[in-house]
Amino acid sequence: MRVEGTNCMEDFLQQLNDSQREAVLYNEGPSLVIAGAGSGKTRVLTYKIAWLLQNGVSPYHILALTFTNKAAREMKSRIAQIVGDDTARRLWMGTFHSIFSRILRRESDKIGFRSDFTVYDAQDSKNLIKSIIKEKSLDDKIYKPNQIQARISKVKNALITPERYASDRDLIEYDNFVNKPHIQAIYATYWNRCRTAQAMDFDDLLLYTSQLFTNSQETVERYRNQFRFILVDEYQDTNAVQHEIIQQLANEQHCLCMVGDDAQSIYSFRGANIGNILNFRKTYPESRLFKLEQNYRSTQTIVNAANSLIDKNKEQIPKTVYSKKQVGEKILVIGAYSDFEEGYTVAGRIAEMRMVHHYEYKDFAILYRTNAQSRIFEESLRKINIPYKIYGGLSFYQRKEIKDIIAYMRMVANPSDEEAFKRIINYPARGIGDTTVNKIVSAAALQNVSLWSVISNPLEYNLNINAGTAKKLEGFRMLIQQLIEAAAEQNAYEVGNKIIRETGLISGLYEDRTTEGLSRVQNVEELATSLHDFTVSRMEEGIEEVKIGDYLSEISLLTDQDTDKDENANRVTMMTIHSAKGLEFKNVFVVGLEENLFPSERSRDNAKEIEEERRLFYVGITRAEENAVLTYAKSRFRNGQTQSCTPSRFLRDIDPEYLRLSGSSALERSWSPRSSSASIPRIEPGVHAVSRKFSPVESVQSTPVATHQSIGNLHIGDVIRHERFGQGKVTALTGENENAKATVDFDNFGNKQLLLKFARFEVVTSTV
């Protein structure tokens, strides 16, 4: 329903603070609205558009650009509540791609396309690139479609056409340096094939819009006259081509309003250029600057801590965000002895906070730097029956690269597993196509046997294949057979590593140096960690034959995820910090705060990238409304061994006035947030870095169980520090020689029985 008149304008303007109201009412020229975290930027954008509409501006003259359809829908819905559905519906409001696709269809003849051109999605684009690579007889192990697709996308977003690419010496030299001299030829062919097919990919929608406005003065003038008011949300996330289009449409007579926060610019890997927002006032010297500095989301302590963090960045527009909410609790910093303990500590803290303060599960979020970190937290939450959901990504065990490896494990444990067989028979590619697989399936169905039986005896089951295909099938069969034989002799960790290394799965992933490729490698390495943790736990408990089938049984529940898609379901939310931008939760755990993880290893020698990592941490902290908890591990399993970890330099960037230490961090001597030293802190972990590789287990003779006050240098009452479980007290000692066991009451894990010959610990306090 539409609400008419001046009173309505006064009503919604009264809902704004002074800074917000000034930003809404200024419409005399270009303006930049720097909106701190939780400061109500969406309200400002919404009310600015509503104010314009109620003051006689036609929706036809307003262009509002967002980065997500969800943001556009939400703003349009709020505007409709003020000015009515009919008016709101006629706004030119949407994502960059949707708005400029609309314009391109109107003006398609000027760029040589029909108005009904097709828009290729990412898979369409990738399939075409695959075909071109094959047609050019190029090695797809060198010219990987994913990498070529990412490269083409990057240059398009930098406004580089195939012609410009061919004449750019730096680009050509780089391609030669990485041994991919034919990228330009692939790009040119891809560009031409898309045009022949009357198709554009997502990047083309922006690149062709820029070309349209550059090459047709009449067209750009028409749209300049139409869009007298241009508003852009999340301006810090714009890339080169988006910035260019905005400049093409705007001139000194336009009311240009950019809204964003340089402190939340975290998408450079997608091409976002923080310089667009930092240099806006240089581009438009006559522009006005408005700062929204009151945070309506978080406690004073969280806001002040975030301010003290981001203040360390040099590239920024200065502002002082403040909160008038309660002071709130200090930010809790927890140091765990291992990544394993970190996961269980976070799960335990959630259970405790829920019980004491009566929070719901949906009031909690666990935020991490990389997707691979989710595995330990998933398992930890499940152990104590805390429901969770993975936001913006798949559960760890549902990711393709993980499912591929698990399919190999399933074949090793059970060669008759039909679905596992079909998944891996031609992955990695070994020249066994769908036609051959269909023949195997038909033969198996006819004879009522497994697919494995058919390829083990192709002549017996009348499998109609040629000699070349038979050789390929035999190669696959031999690979699986060798793994089956290894599994009979080796433990789960050794066999899992063998599968990862010898099937060709990991080598293919290592060659993909895109952000997505590196993430997949991290996920595979995390699976190896999972295998190790499972194996060592069982061996410490005295189970000496830990087989791959045991591991599959353990994770079967983890792969059986709830399919309920209800966004309001009462579950803990888990996601990367990149995915968390724009969201908020009462309680936020930012985990894995260690050097070479957060900040990432790739950014450590680049000042600009370190600043972006710091902005990412800022985004993580400012998602919290009431409580923020920061955690790090002093040791983490990586590359086949336990490695000592250094707490993130970002912890030192926060004013210690706003921090409270707990767990092992409270005991640290080598790192204290109150230290005045500017150097990066160094932790000496409570356990030594020990290789987690296993040698074959020797057979152990049965020994009667005996109880003791001490075994060797270990005594009842001793306090020990275990590599994975952290600190605990020895409560019982039993057994003899290689069967000797210790029962330990751990601070975060309760009672655990350890087989001493495998246990990794040191004595902290001895009773002797």
Side-chain angles (χ1 to χ4, degrees), residues 739-759:
N739 286 327
K741 297 179 181 180
T743 301
V744 184
D745 184 11
F746 288 102
D747 294 346
N748 290 310
F749 294 93
N751 284 319
K752 294 281 184 183
Q753 192 173 67
L754 307 178
L755 188 65
L756 291 181
K757 71 173 182 177
F758 289 124

Side-chain angles (χ1 to χ4, degrees), residues 142-143 174-182:
I142 296 175
Y143 294 91
Y174 177 81
D175 291 345
N176 290 329
F177 176 75
V178 296
N179 195 31
K180 295 181 177 67
H182 299 292

Side-chain angles (χ1 to χ4, degrees), residues 440 443 447 449-465 473-474 477:
I440 296 170
Q447 301 289 336
V449 296
S450 68
L451 308 187
W452 177 254
S453 296
V454 172
I455 69 166
S456 297
N457 296 284
L459 294 177
E460 180 179 345
Y461 294 107
N462 299 316
L463 186 61
N464 183 22
I465 53 175
L473 288 176
E474 178 60 10
R477 188 200 67 78

Side-chain angles (χ1 to χ4, degrees), residues 63-132:
L63 173 64
L65 298 169
T66 67
F67 273 83
T68 66
N69 289 309
K70 180 181 179 183
R73 286 194 302 268
E74 288 179 354
M75 281 197 284
K76 191 173 286 189
S77 175
R78 294 186 192 184
I79 292 166
Q81 293 174 12
I82 299 171
V83 302
D85 288 336
D86 290 342
T87 302
R89 192 179 298 116
R90 289 185 286 124
L91 281 167
W92 281 68
M93 175 181 281
T95 64
F96 281 85
H97 292 92
S98 65
I99 291 295
F100 296 124
S101 172
R102 182 176 169 186
I103 289 174
L104 287 176
R105 291 195 187 280
R106 285 186 170 189
E107 314 293 342
S108 58
D109 60 309
K110 297 181 178 65
I111 53 173
F113 280 82
R114 297 195 305 265
S115 61
D116 61 348
F117 61 80
T118 299
V119 177
Y120 278 171
D121 64 17
Q123 190 60 52
D124 295 325
S125 171
K126 183 177 174 181
N127 289 341
L128 177 54
I129 290 170
K130 279 183 178 178
S131 298
I132 293 169

